Amino acid sequence: MNPNSNDPLVMIDNERHLFKVSRSNFTDPEVFAKERERIFSTCWLYLGHESELKKPGDFVTRVVGGRSIVFNKDRQGEMRALFNSCPHRGAQVCRERKGNAKAFQCFYHGWVFGQDGALRSQPGEDSYAQGFKDDPDSNMRQVPRLESYRGLYFICYDPQAVTLEEYLGNAKEYLDLVCDQAVDGMEVIGGTQEYAMNANWKLLVENSIDGYHAVSTHATYLDYLKSMEGGLTDVGLKGVGKDLGNGHGVIEYTAPWGRPAGQWISLWGEEGKNEIDALNARNEKLYGKEKADRIAYKNRNLLIFPNLIINDIMSLTIRTFFPQSPSLLHVNAWAAGPREESEAARQFRLSNFLEFLGPGGFATPDDVEALEQCQLGYRNSQEARWNDISKGMKLDEPSMDDEAQMRAFWREWDRRLTGSEQAQGVGA
């Protein structure tokens, strides 16, 4: 029996400015089961971007929150999310990762479904009762809730959940800063980057909004940029971390690398400078100087609770991830950018993505190693029981390398698992 089984999941001591998280949260199968039930079955989860379904009939299939989903556009142009399971015997109806289809046919017994999931035909129809096809239970089931914000589509398995707009809350300000980089809209560029980590999913949540580890863990990347003539500006890593409510959090900061969204580096040459200057002038005319400068010169690592990360840094990445077990997670990531940007700007963007954010870049292997080492360290969790998430807790305005944004996640996580509005107790 675990001698620490009566420990709270999260402990806060506001007087001492201490915030502690039990390491059993990363290893306990019971915690994992509760997360499936109380987080991934009730929260809004990212499904995909509108640009992935350009034409009627386009579809992609994804596993979201443990469910197999078909995300498609029907012939009327309506976006749909269908459970990818045949109502007959349960086989996955669509076995392709993506494509274009006028209908979906289950290979097992040949039932055919329309783009809206409705049963159109089946072999041996005469053997079924009259009106069988009119029974809603004969159709592929629709996901209870499908809503979008600025081209980002989310699903929720809880029919009683609040609207997506209400759920996003204060995070919408930061999503707007990302989406307003484009006049003609954002688009996903290329395919999906997929990889796995032998680590708990919450470790990647923390890491993705952690400014504290950048200088030490990713020192090789910064050294690489320094070695490239014109690869850096003289801007420092400086900014703030914020709790956005509802479990969402962000760090917003300046950084020395080039940003196709508006921060030029001399490596990109005079042609690149002219393009960046024109982009910034356009944005200033559209939004005013304050917002235009924020779009151009501020980086953002944004968490939408529980597991959507938008990295608006030297490139733009949409990343989502789901636990397979307490110690295994699967990651899907997509590069994104404005539809209207030039070929040269797109090349800068993709180079930045591959160099730092891609699975083979400077950052991701470093992060995988760090998170897997944490998971291995949790073998000692009965004796070394607590993670500390206290940095910046005493400050009125925490810095981007403090941990206010992580505490935002953990408070909401604890509320959903335990029903507590604030973790109780004093850390030992």
Side-chain angles (χ1 to χ4, degrees), residues 231-247:
L232 287 173
T233 71
D234 58 1
V235 175
L237 281 164
K238 186 177 180 181
V240 297
K242 292 184 179 181
D243 177 342
L244 300 176
N246 295 345

Side-chain angles (χ1 to χ4, degrees), residues 235 253-255 259 261-264 276-277 280 289 292-300:
V235 175
Y253 55 99
T254 58
R259 282 173 50 80
Q263 181 161 292
W264 175 77
I276 291 291
D277 287 346
N280 290 338
K289 182 170 176 51
D293 285 352
R294 208 171 158 198
I295 287 173
Y297 304 120
K298 293 290 182 70
N299 297 259
R300 282 158 287 275

Side-chain angles (χ1 to χ4, degrees), residues 3 24 90 103 122 134 162 179 184 201 248 257 352 354 372 389 391 410 421 424-425 428:
S24 66
Q122 75 241 76
D134 298 325
V162 299
C179 295
D184 296 335
W201 70 278
H248 315 317
W257 46 69
N352 284 353
L354 292 172
E372 291 186 344
I389 318 288
K391 191 170 187 292
W410 279 109
E421 290 302 318
Q424 301 295 317

Side-chain angles (χ1 to χ4, degrees), residues 82-277:
L82 306 171
F83 287 104
N84 191 11
S85 181
C86 184
H88 177 219
R89 300 286 282 279
Q92 288 200 142
V93 175
C94 184
R95 295 180 292 159
E96 303 296 326
R97 298 293 299 274
K98 63 179 181 178
N100 185 279
K102 294 180 179 179
F104 300 108
Q105 182 171 15
C106 179
F107 88 106
Y108 193 9
H109 294 93
W111 287 28
V112 177
F113 304 89
Q115 295 168 340
D116 59 357
L119 178 62
R120 300 303 185 206
S121 66
Q122 75 241 76
E125 286 187 39
D126 292 344
S127 298
Y128 289 87
Q130 185 176 359
F132 182 86
K133 285 197 296 186
D134 298 325
D135 186 341
D137 287 342
S138 299
N139 303 328
M140 295 175 68
R141 291 194 61 186
Q142 307 268 353
V143 174
R145 302 286 292 279
L146 171 69
E147 295 179 22
S148 67
Y149 185 79
R150 300 298 300 267
L152 301 164
Y153 275 80
F154 294 75
I155 56 176
C156 185
Y157 301 120
D158 178 7
Q160 306 305 315
V162 299
T163 66
L164 176 63
E165 287 234 3
E166 184 177 347
Y167 182 83
L168 292 174
N170 294 327
K172 290 184 292 185
E173 173 188 344
Y174 295 89
L175 290 172
D176 289 342
L177 287 168
V178 172
C179 295
D180 285 342
Q181 295 172 23
V183 171
D184 296 335
M186 304 298 290
E187 66 178 355
V188 166
I189 304 165
T192 307
Q193 303 265 347
E194 299 181 59
Y195 52 98
M197 297 185 202
N198 292 312
N200 187 274
W201 70 278
K202 298 182 291 296
L203 283 168
L204 186 53
V205 171
E206 292 179 342
N207 177 265
S208 298
I209 51 173
D210 176 16
Y212 193 25
H213 79 288
V215 174
S216 56
T217 307
H218 303 312
T220 304
Y221 176 66
L222 294 173
D223 289 342
Y224 162 74
L225 292 181
K226 290 175 185 176
S227 72
M228 300 175 65
E229 185 175 351
L232 287 173
T233 71
D234 58 1
V235 175
L237 281 164
K238 186 177 180 181
V240 297
K242 292 184 179 181
D243 177 342
L244 300 176
N246 295 345
H248 315 317
V250 69
I251 54 175
E252 186 174 35
Y253 55 99
T254 58
W257 46 69
R259 282 173 50 80
Q263 181 161 292
W264 175 77
I265 53 174
S266 59
L267 182 67
W268 293 348
E270 285 303 309
E271 185 175 344
K273 185 176 188 305
N274 292 336
E275 182 169 351
I276 291 291
D277 287 346

Side-chain angles (χ1 to χ4, degrees), residues 44-48 53 58-64 67-74 77-85 94 104 114-118 139-148 153-157:
W44 285 96
L45 305 174
Y46 179 71
L47 175 61
L53 306 178
D58 283 354
F59 69 86
V60 297
T61 56
R62 297 210 163 116
V63 177
V64 180
R67 283 84 157 174
S68 180
I69 304 298
V70 179
F71 177 39
N72 71 304
K73 179 185 283 190
D74 67 20
E78 183 177 348
M79 300 292 203
R80 295 185 176 273
L82 306 171
F83 287 104
N84 191 11
S85 181
C94 184
F104 300 108
Q115 295 168 340
D116 59 357
N139 303 328
M140 295 175 68
R141 291 194 61 186
Q142 307 268 353
V143 174
R145 302 286 292 279
L146 171 69
E147 295 179 22
S148 67
Y153 275 80
F154 294 75
I155 56 176
C156 185
Y157 301 120

